[in-house]
Amino acid sequence: MQIVEYKMVQFLMRLKKPYRFAESTYQTRPINILALKDELGNVGLGEVEAFQFPNYIDETQSECVRILNTRILPLLGSKKFDTPFEFSKFIDSTNGPYMARAAAEMAIWDLFAKRNGVSVQKLIMLALGRTDAVKPEVSVGVAIGIKDETSELIAEIRRQLELGYTRIKLKIKPKYTVKMLKEVRTEFPNQLMMIDCNSQYGLKDKSFFQNIDGLNFAMIEQPLAKNDFRNHAKLQAQLNTDICLDENIFNSEDIWKVINLQAGRVINMKIARVGGISNALALTTLAEKHGLKVWCGGMLETGVGRAFNLALASMPLFSFPGDISASDRYYEKDIVNEKFSIVNGKIRVPDTPGLGVSLNEFAQAKFNEIEWTKI
Ligand SMILES: [Mg+2]
């Protein structure tokens, strides 16, 4: 396969409610959709999932787009690829930001799936050497942003449970008290629930974690600083609750650090953060071989990124519900025609050839305004 043209289309996604994340509050989220065209005229879509500001990992939307446009995409024209794994190897050799590489690699999976007349989900299964049936749907969970009051938090959890989510993740920050989390647990004692700290705590907060250790959270995600494996290991040694690492994990060296230092027991795998689907499969396989649990995380995707997450999360490698929400969770208007709804805690995985989603009228009009660039 050869890539002959590309285009990058920016959408300013308007959030239904401000999303508070660590130290930032987002009202809108710029997301660029990268389209790659092959020599047969097929079009594959990928999504740049970095946030506007570097408060998740140190990558931003605009920088990923700049590097794709100036450094990565111009290199594709002279290359031929026989598999998505070959492409992944090549794109990793560019050493660009992970989330830039992932956008191009996603589009390649869409293209290969279209060329072969199979869904992305089926193609990933075949790439894993599995010929058994694919899962028609996956169990999903939802992430709830930071709230000021316990009552607000409880009301929001109740709302999400009513919508059908079976796993709740609470984003927390240091102003959350043990009392607050105890009240939540008293209200929902048996609910599958976890917390995500987005690197906002230090080892000095050890007693906070020890005091919530008995609250039956499924895991504590990324409590300590990005790239800090040693202190995560120190904290894990003193807790029964599993620590899940997110912001720390980019490549196999990071997985090895978790294994060797016992820095956690769970990995939140995100296609964007590890540079694409091929890497996500390789890292998940490595982690599971060494006894770590892995599940599929999310990045407030559009319908394009969501479809890739559903395909990945449906792989037999994953057993814990992923952070994949219904279409109407975050944005006033999505960019794809297909609606993803929660039924009994599950979302259907697209099964038509390629990614299985198409741009809606509003997105297609915007898409048509941008010219293709020949490589
Ligand atoms: Mg996280």
Side-chain angles (χ1 to χ4, degrees), residues 169 171 196 198 221 246-247 268 270:
K169 170 158 120 179
K171 295 267 185 189
D196 185 2
N198 285 115
E221 186 172 332
D246 174 353
E247 283 91 330
N268 172 342
K270 290 182 182 166

Side-chain angles (χ1 to χ4, degrees), residues 46-318:
E47 179 168 305
V48 180
E49 292 183 0
F51 284 112
Q52 189 173 0
F53 304 112
N55 42 18
Y56 167 60
I57 58 169
D58 300 337
E59 293 184 3
T60 61
Q61 182 74 204
S62 57
E63 184 66 357
C64 285
V65 169
R66 189 184 70 79
I67 291 176
L68 275 164
N69 282 328
T70 58
R71 263 182 50 202
I72 298 181
L73 296 171
L75 297 175
L76 296 183
S78 56
K79 301 273 186 300
K80 285 203 168 94
F81 305 99
D82 288 330
T83 66
F85 296 134
E86 244 178 51
F87 181 87
S88 173
K89 233 182 195 166
F90 165 73
I91 200 100
D92 285 352
S93 73
T94 66
N95 210 20
Y98 287 93
M99 294 194 178
R101 285 187 248 159
E105 207 253 7
M106 285 180 214
I108 289 292
W109 279 90
D110 187 13
L111 279 175
F112 270 107
K114 282 177 176 148
R115 288 168 76 102
N116 288 290
V118 295
S119 64
V120 166
Q121 180 194 33
K122 184 70 184 171
L123 187 64
I124 299 176
M125 277 290 268
L126 293 171
L128 285 171
R130 308 273 303 228
T131 51
D132 41 327
V134 291
K135 282 190 210 165
E137 51 193 19
V138 291
S139 295
V140 296
V142 70
I144 293 179
I146 288 158
K147 306 281 176 210
D148 291 322
E149 302 294 334
T150 314
S151 56
E152 264 183 277
L153 191 54
I154 287 174
E156 182 63 16
I157 294 169
R158 187 158 290 129
R159 207 168 9 250
Q160 296 306 325
L161 291 175
E162 279 164 10
L163 290 173
Y165 291 99
T166 51
R167 192 227 65 197
I168 299 286
K169 170 158 120 179
L170 307 179
K171 295 267 185 189
I172 73 165
K173 65 189 256 178
K175 70 168 193 150
Y176 272 39
T177 59
V178 173
K179 180 170 170 277
M180 201 168 169
L181 293 176
K182 271 188 182 157
E183 280 169 23
V184 168
R185 266 338 226 161
T186 306
E187 197 70 24
F188 308 100
N190 302 315
Q191 174 58 45
L192 180 59
M193 202 180 283
M194 55 181 286
I195 54 173
D196 185 2
C197 312
N198 285 115
S199 316
Q200 298 294 297
Y201 291 79
L203 204 55
K204 63 180 184 342
D205 302 306
K206 190 178 73 183
S207 64
F208 169 78
F209 292 108
Q210 286 172 325
N211 287 330
I212 61 165
D213 200 21
L215 294 183
N216 194 28
F217 285 118
M219 64 190 79
I220 299 171
E221 186 172 332
Q222 194 72 37
L224 310 180
K226 299 170 195 178
N227 304 321
D228 183 343
F229 289 89
R230 292 193 179 278
N231 282 333
H232 275 108
K234 283 184 192 162
L235 185 61
Q236 180 66 89
Q238 299 179 57
L239 297 177
N240 289 319
T241 311
D242 292 345
I243 287 181
C244 169
L245 291 170
D246 174 353
E247 283 91 330
N248 269 33
I249 309 296
F250 296 92
N251 51 43
S252 58
E253 284 170 26
D254 296 329
I255 299 283
W256 278 114
K257 284 182 203 161
V258 182
I259 296 165
N260 292 332
L261 296 171
Q262 299 184 329
R265 300 177 192 139
V266 188
I267 306 293
N268 172 342
M269 189 58 64
K270 290 182 182 166
I271 296 171
R273 200 199 54 233
V274 300
I277 292 171
S278 306
N279 290 346
L281 295 175
L283 300 191
T284 302
T285 305
L286 173 67
E288 294 205 335
K289 198 173 144 196
H290 292 271
L292 299 172
K293 283 181 272 181
V294 190
W295 57 280
C296 179
M299 288 287 299
L300 277 79
E301 293 84 356
T302 70
V304 170
R306 178 181 293 105
F308 282 109
N309 283 349
L310 286 166
L312 182 69
S314 73
M315 290 304 113
L317 299 167
F318 300 95

